[in-house]
Amino acid sequence: MAAIGFFSTAATAQTCGGVYTVERGDSLSTIADSLYKDAGMWTAIHNANLSKIGESPDAIHAGMILRLACINGRPLGLSGGTEARHTPPTTRATAPIVQVAGPAASRAKVNLLTAGDFAPFTDRTLPNGGLLADVVNAAMAKAAPAQGYAIHWVEDRPSHLEPLLSNTLLDAGFPWYRPDCAAQPDMSFCENFLFSDAIFEILILLFTDKARPLAFDSDDDLIGKRLCRPAGYFTHDLDRAGRRWLSEGKVTLEQPRSVAECFALLVQGKVDAVAINEFTGRTALKEMNIKAQVEIVQTRPLSIQGMHLVVHKTHPHGGEIIALFNQGLAGIKADASYQLIMESHMTRIWAGF
């Protein structure tokens, strides 16, 4: 492992996060254990380097350069880090947040639509409305549309796609997962909506009972298994090209009303794994006090899903709105403010686990 300097120079000892060069024998778990003092944070490293690592966390090699976020004040002393400060998540002003009923939004603005109860991504009780609300606000501020913009919160999530966006009562919504539209272009979501660049990519993991460990080295390992994911959640990663688990009856999917019910089925031995994004899953483990009973399959994620801003294809300015948002998103990535938002929220998120 690379040595970490703890000398008194401000240039090294007072930096947090940065870049790490993989050495022979390293794994994401050993790097996380050494630098974050928590082997379970291998997913944080994986998530921050998806474009390099891909789906398999084993796909690292000596000489690969990884970006490590500053989380809970670690790691210290790496090159390319930021000033080590223990600060709360950003509290800069967000876009106007209003409750919309019907077509009350001002057409003079670009009106964005989201909903809460999706921690840590969007919820008005979270700092700046959550991780993705913060990113979207920063991207729109960077793009600076001449007519201004507003973020609206409508808690009836099913109404977002139809009728609010389909009838252009509001202009764009977030966050939405994008299915594999190249493989399934006839899927209604792909047929009807334009997608922005990914705002954030997240690991979809398998959570299993420690008393009944589950191997997942290849897709064949899950044939005949019972998975759980709450009703209303996407299933396109279970029935994508090359993985027809549901349509061909290779996997049984239980869909209770809530994440908590899925984990209850797991500890009761009624399903083999809960398939959910890592943050929602980890939060449930803590809230249900079952962290000692449940583990994350370490070998690979079930899938990697991007979260996007969407605009209905009937919107007369849909392409312009997507281009505007993409421009702002690229801008905050270029000036490093995107990374600062990520690190600020990730510190809070991981501290909560």
Side-chain angles (χ1 to χ4, degrees):
M1 303 294 289
I4 301 176
F6 289 97
F7 299 103
S8 59
T9 60
T12 56
Q14 298 303 315
T15 61
C16 180
V19 294
Y20 174 79
T21 302
V22 176
E23 296 190 346
R24 187 178 300 275
D26 277 347
S27 68
L28 294 187
S29 293
T30 61
I31 296 170
D33 187 45
S34 175
L35 298 181
Y36 287 118
K37 309 305 178 186
D38 182 352
M41 290 185 68
W42 67 269
T43 57
I45 304 174
H46 193 178
N47 215 115
N49 296 276
L50 285 174
S51 61
K52 293 183 178 180
I53 299 173
E55 281 203 4
S56 174
D58 291 331
I60 64 171
H61 56 80
M64 179 182 282
I65 297 176
L66 302 177
R67 174 75 193 183
L68 273 62
C70 176
I71 301 174
N72 293 331
R74 294 192 176 102
L76 293 174
L78 297 180
S79 63
T82 56
E83 182 181 352
R85 293 178 297 174
H86 296 280
T87 58
T90 56
T91 55
R92 54 181 173 71
T94 61
I97 295 177
V98 297
Q99 185 73 30
V100 177
S106 168
R107 304 310 297 170
K109 296 179 178 179
V110 178
N111 292 290
L112 309 179
L113 172 64
T114 193
D117 195 28
F118 191 35
F121 305 113
T122 55
D123 195 283
R124 282 181 289 180
T125 67
L126 298 174
N128 291 352
L131 171 63
L132 296 187
D134 205 2
V135 170
V136 168
N137 180 60
M140 290 300 295
K142 187 74 171 180
Q147 68 271 46
Y149 68 97
I151 296 176
H152 305 270
W153 297 77
V154 177
E155 300 307 337
D156 180 18
R157 192 179 294 271
S159 72
H160 287 203
L161 300 182
E162 175 65 45
L164 295 179
L165 295 179
S166 65
N167 290 334
T168 64
L169 298 176
L170 291 103
D171 299 307
F174 72 93
W176 292 93
Y177 293 105
R178 180 179 184 175
D180 186 352
C181 292
Q184 298 173 287
D186 58 344
M187 184 177 289
S188 61
F189 203 13
C190 298
E191 287 183 327
N192 294 323
F193 285 89
L194 301 172
F195 296 83
S196 73
D197 294 338
I199 306 169
F200 182 68
E201 289 186 303
I202 191 168
L203 303 177
I204 308 299
L205 302 176
L206 291 174
F207 292 78
T208 62
D209 191 324
K210 289 183 179 179
R212 296 178 291 113
L214 178 68
F216 183 43
D217 295 306
S218 71
D219 279 7
D220 287 346
D221 290 329
L222 294 188
I223 293 177
K225 302 299 184 183
R226 300 180 71 87
L227 304 182
C228 191
R229 182 176 288 168
Y233 280 54
F234 68 92
T235 59
H236 58 253
D237 61 334
L238 307 179
D239 237 15
R240 67 190 190 189
R243 181 189 281 178
R244 300 300 183 190
W245 284 345
L246 300 183
S247 59
E248 296 180 2
K250 295 180 177 179
V251 166
T252 300
L253 180 64
E254 298 291 341
Q255 295 183 283
R257 292 173 300 175
S258 68
V259 173
E261 287 175 281
C262 267
F263 279 102
L265 291 175
L266 179 67
V267 298
Q268 292 165 11
K270 296 180 179 179
V271 297
D272 297 297
V274 177
I276 201 82
N277 79 72
E278 70 163 316
F279 298 127
T280 299
R282 289 181 187 273
T283 298
L285 298 188
K286 180 182 179 182
E287 291 178 347
M288 297 176 69
N289 196 28
I290 55 173
K291 291 173 65 175
Q293 297 172 253
V294 178
E295 64 185 4
I296 293 171
V297 173
Q298 302 286 317
T299 48
R300 55 194 287 233
L302 182 66
S303 65
I304 297 170
Q305 299 295 319
M307 295 180 176
H308 303 258
L309 180 134
V310 301
V311 177
H312 201 275
K313 288 183 178 179
T314 60
H315 195 297
H317 304 291
E320 298 171 38
I321 293 172
I322 292 293
L324 177 78
F325 178 75
N326 286 345
Q327 174 189 333
L329 184 62
I332 63 172
K333 289 183 176 180
D335 69 13
S337 55
Y338 178 91
Q339 183 67 27
L340 291 175
I341 292 171
M342 285 291 148
E343 293 183 353
S344 176
H345 284 274
M346 285 300 173
T347 289
R348 177 185 56 79
I349 293 165
W350 279 95
F353 297 148

PDB file of all heavy atoms in Angstrom, residues 216-229:
ATOM      1  N   PHE A 216     -22.363 -14.943  -6.025  1.00  0.00           N
ATOM      2  CA  PHE A 216     -22.796 -14.228  -7.225  1.00  0.00           C
ATOM      3  C   PHE A 216     -21.566 -13.878  -8.054  1.00  0.00           C
ATOM      4  O   PHE A 216     -21.132 -12.739  -8.131  1.00  0.00           O
ATOM      5  CB  PHE A 216     -23.590 -12.972  -6.861  1.00  0.00           C
ATOM      6  CG  PHE A 216     -24.135 -12.237  -8.059  1.00  0.00           C
ATOM      7  CD1 PHE A 216     -24.714 -12.909  -9.124  1.00  0.00           C
ATOM      8  CD2 PHE A 216     -24.085 -10.852  -8.114  1.00  0.00           C
ATOM      9  CE1 PHE A 216     -25.212 -12.235 -10.227  1.00  0.00           C
ATOM     10  CE2 PHE A 216     -24.589 -10.153  -9.205  1.00  0.00           C
ATOM     11  CZ  PHE A 216     -25.148 -10.849 -10.267  1.00  0.00           C
ATOM     12  N   ASP A 217     -20.992 -14.896  -8.658  1.00  0.00           N
ATOM     13  CA  ASP A 217     -19.846 -14.706  -9.548  1.00  0.00           C
ATOM     14  C   ASP A 217     -20.296 -14.567 -10.994  1.00  0.00           C
ATOM     15  O   ASP A 217     -19.600 -13.974 -11.809  1.00  0.00           O
ATOM     16  CB  ASP A 217     -18.869 -15.879  -9.418  1.00  0.00           C
ATOM     17  CG  ASP A 217     -18.253 -15.949  -8.029  1.00  0.00           C
ATOM     18  OD1 ASP A 217     -17.693 -14.929  -7.585  1.00  0.00           O
ATOM     19  OD2 ASP A 217     -18.337 -17.007  -7.386  1.00  0.00           O
ATOM     20  N   SER A 218     -21.446 -15.156 -11.314  1.00  0.00           N
ATOM     21  CA  SER A 218     -22.013 -15.032 -12.656  1.00  0.00           C
ATOM     22  C   SER A 218     -23.530 -15.035 -12.531  1.00  0.00           C
ATOM     23  O   SER A 218     -24.087 -15.430 -11.498  1.00  0.00           O
ATOM     24  CB  SER A 218     -21.558 -16.186 -13.547  1.00  0.00           C
ATOM     25  OG  SER A 218     -22.184 -17.397 -13.161  1.00  0.00           O
ATOM     26  N   ASP A 219     -24.215 -14.628 -13.591  1.00  0.00           N
ATOM     27  CA  ASP A 219     -25.675 -14.565 -13.559  1.00  0.00           C
ATOM     28  C   ASP A 219     -26.300 -15.928 -13.287  1.00  0.00           C
ATOM     29  O   ASP A 219     -27.367 -16.020 -12.671  1.00  0.00           O
ATOM     30  CB  ASP A 219     -26.212 -14.014 -14.879  1.00  0.00           C
ATOM     31  CG  ASP A 219     -26.135 -12.489 -14.951  1.00  0.00           C
ATOM     32  OD1 ASP A 219     -25.539 -11.883 -14.039  1.00  0.00           O
ATOM     33  OD2 ASP A 219     -26.670 -11.908 -15.905  1.00  0.00           O
ATOM     34  N   ASP A 220     -25.634 -16.989 -13.719  1.00  0.00           N
ATOM     35  CA  ASP A 220     -26.182 -18.332 -13.515  1.00  0.00           C
ATOM     36  C   ASP A 220     -26.323 -18.680 -12.032  1.00  0.00           C
ATOM     37  O   ASP A 220     -27.132 -19.542 -11.673  1.00  0.00           O
ATOM     38  CB  ASP A 220     -25.301 -19.379 -14.208  1.00  0.00           C
ATOM     39  CG  ASP A 220     -25.447 -19.339 -15.730  1.00  0.00           C
ATOM     40  OD1 ASP A 220     -26.396 -18.697 -16.212  1.00  0.00           O
ATOM     41  OD2 ASP A 220     -24.603 -19.945 -16.419  1.00  0.00           O
ATOM     42  N   ASP A 221     -25.556 -18.011 -11.182  1.00  0.00           N
ATOM     43  CA  ASP A 221     -25.614 -18.308  -9.749  1.00  0.00           C
ATOM     44  C   ASP A 221     -26.977 -17.956  -9.151  1.00  0.00           C
ATOM     45  O   ASP A 221     -27.331 -18.461  -8.076  1.00  0.00           O
ATOM     46  CB  ASP A 221     -24.519 -17.542  -8.995  1.00  0.00           C
ATOM     47  CG  ASP A 221     -23.128 -18.061  -9.304  1.00  0.00           C
ATOM     48  OD1 ASP A 221     -23.007 -19.273  -9.575  1.00  0.00           O
ATOM     49  OD2 ASP A 221     -22.180 -17.262  -9.279  1.00  0.00           O
ATOM     50  N   LEU A 222     -27.720 -17.089  -9.803  1.00  0.00           N
ATOM     51  CA  LEU A 222     -29.009 -16.656  -9.248  1.00  0.00           C
ATOM     52  C   LEU A 222     -30.207 -17.390  -9.843  1.00  0.00           C
ATOM     53  O   LEU A 222     -31.344 -17.149  -9.433  1.00  0.00           O
ATOM     54  CB  LEU A 222     -29.190 -15.146  -9.435  1.00  0.00           C
ATOM     55  CG  LEU A 222     -28.214 -14.255  -8.659  1.00  0.00           C
ATOM     56  CD1 LEU A 222     -28.631 -12.797  -8.773  1.00  0.00           C
ATOM     57  CD2 LEU A 222     -28.107 -14.654  -7.200  1.00  0.00           C
ATOM     58  N   ILE A 223     -29.975 -18.274 -10.783  1.00  0.00           N
ATOM     59  CA  ILE A 223     -31.084 -19.034 -11.365  1.00  0.00           C
ATOM     60  C   ILE A 223     -31.742 -19.882 -10.270  1.00  0.00           C
ATOM     61  O   ILE A 223     -31.082 -20.589  -9.518  1.00  0.00           O
ATOM     62  CB  ILE A 223     -30.595 -19.924 -12.522  1.00  0.00           C
ATOM     63  CG1 ILE A 223     -30.136 -19.042 -13.693  1.00  0.00           C
ATOM     64  CG2 ILE A 223     -31.706 -20.874 -12.977  1.00  0.00           C
ATOM     65  CD1 ILE A 223     -29.565 -19.815 -14.861  1.00  0.00           C
ATOM     66  N   GLY A 224     -33.062 -19.758 -10.179  1.00  0.00           N
ATOM     67  CA  GLY A 224     -33.822 -20.483  -9.170  1.00  0.00           C
ATOM     68  C   GLY A 224     -33.925 -19.769  -7.832  1.00  0.00           C
ATOM     69  O   GLY A 224     -34.591 -20.265  -6.910  1.00  0.00           O
ATOM     70  N   LYS A 225     -33.290 -18.605  -7.701  1.00  0.00           N
ATOM     71  CA  LYS A 225     -33.315 -17.873  -6.429  1.00  0.00           C
ATOM     72  C   LYS A 225     -34.542 -16.973  -6.346  1.00  0.00           C
ATOM     73  O   LYS A 225     -35.184 -16.637  -7.335  1.00  0.00           O
ATOM     74  CB  LYS A 225     -32.036 -17.038  -6.269  1.00  0.00           C
ATOM     75  CG  LYS A 225     -30.748 -17.844  -6.332  1.00  0.00           C
ATOM     76  CD  LYS A 225     -30.674 -18.881  -5.223  1.00  0.00           C
ATOM     77  CE  LYS A 225     -29.324 -19.597  -5.252  1.00  0.00           C
ATOM     78  NZ  LYS A 225     -29.250 -20.656  -4.218  1.00  0.00           N
ATOM     79  N   ARG A 226     -34.837 -16.570  -5.115  1.00  0.00           N
ATOM     80  CA  ARG A 226     -35.948 -15.643  -4.851  1.00  0.00           C
ATOM     81  C   ARG A 226     -35.361 -14.299  -4.413  1.00  0.00           C
ATOM     82  O   ARG A 226     -34.687 -14.228  -3.377  1.00  0.00           O
ATOM     83  CB  ARG A 226     -36.867 -16.199  -3.761  1.00  0.00           C
ATOM     84  CG  ARG A 226     -37.493 -17.554  -4.117  1.00  0.00           C
ATOM     85  CD  ARG A 226     -38.390 -18.050  -2.996  1.00  0.00           C
ATOM     86  NE  ARG A 226     -39.612 -17.256  -2.898  1.00  0.00           N
ATOM     87  CZ  ARG A 226     -40.720 -17.513  -3.603  1.00  0.00           C
ATOM     88  NH1 ARG A 226     -40.752 -18.531  -4.440  1.00  0.00           N
ATOM     89  NH2 ARG A 226     -41.791 -16.774  -3.441  1.00  0.00           N
ATOM     90  N   LEU A 227     -35.630 -13.281  -5.200  1.00  0.00           N
ATOM     91  CA  LEU A 227     -35.164 -11.938  -4.892  1.00  0.00           C
ATOM     92  C   LEU A 227     -36.332 -11.093  -4.424  1.00  0.00           C
ATOM     93  O   LEU A 227     -37.494 -11.404  -4.690  1.00  0.00           O
ATOM     94  CB  LEU A 227     -34.529 -11.289  -6.127  1.00  0.00           C
ATOM     95  CG  LEU A 227     -33.385 -12.038  -6.805  1.00  0.00           C
ATOM     96  CD1 LEU A 227     -32.847 -11.226  -7.981  1.00  0.00           C
ATOM     97  CD2 LEU A 227     -32.264 -12.349  -5.810  1.00  0.00           C
ATOM     98  N   CYS A 228     -36.008 -10.011  -3.725  1.00  0.00           N
ATOM     99  CA  CYS A 228     -37.051  -9.101  -3.254  1.00  0.00           C
ATOM    100  C   CYS A 228     -36.682  -7.671  -3.604  1.00  0.00           C
ATOM    101  O   CYS A 228     -35.528  -7.249  -3.418  1.00  0.00           O
ATOM    102  CB  CYS A 228     -37.242  -9.225  -1.736  1.00  0.00           C
ATOM    103  SG  CYS A 228     -38.728  -8.372  -1.119  1.00  0.00           S
ATOM    104  N   ARG A 229     -37.673  -6.958  -4.127  1.00  0.00           N
ATOM    105  CA  ARG A 229     -37.546  -5.529  -4.407  1.00  0.00           C
ATOM    106  C   ARG A 229     -38.945  -4.943  -4.275  1.00  0.00           C
ATOM    107  O   ARG A 229     -39.899  -5.528  -4.800  1.00  0.00           O
ATOM    108  CB  ARG A 229     -36.986  -5.289  -5.808  1.00  0.00           C
ATOM    109  CG  ARG A 229     -36.787  -3.817  -6.165  1.00  0.00           C
ATOM    110  CD  ARG A 229     -36.143  -3.672  -7.532  1.00  0.00           C
ATOM    111  NE  ARG A 229     -34.737  -4.048  -7.524  1.00  0.00           N
ATOM    112  CZ  ARG A 229     -34.001  -4.223  -8.623  1.00  0.00           C
ATOM    113  NH1 ARG A 229     -34.558  -4.084  -9.814  1.00  0.00           N
ATOM    114  NH2 ARG A 229     -32.732  -4.546  -8.529  1.00  0.00           N
TER     115      ARG A 229
END
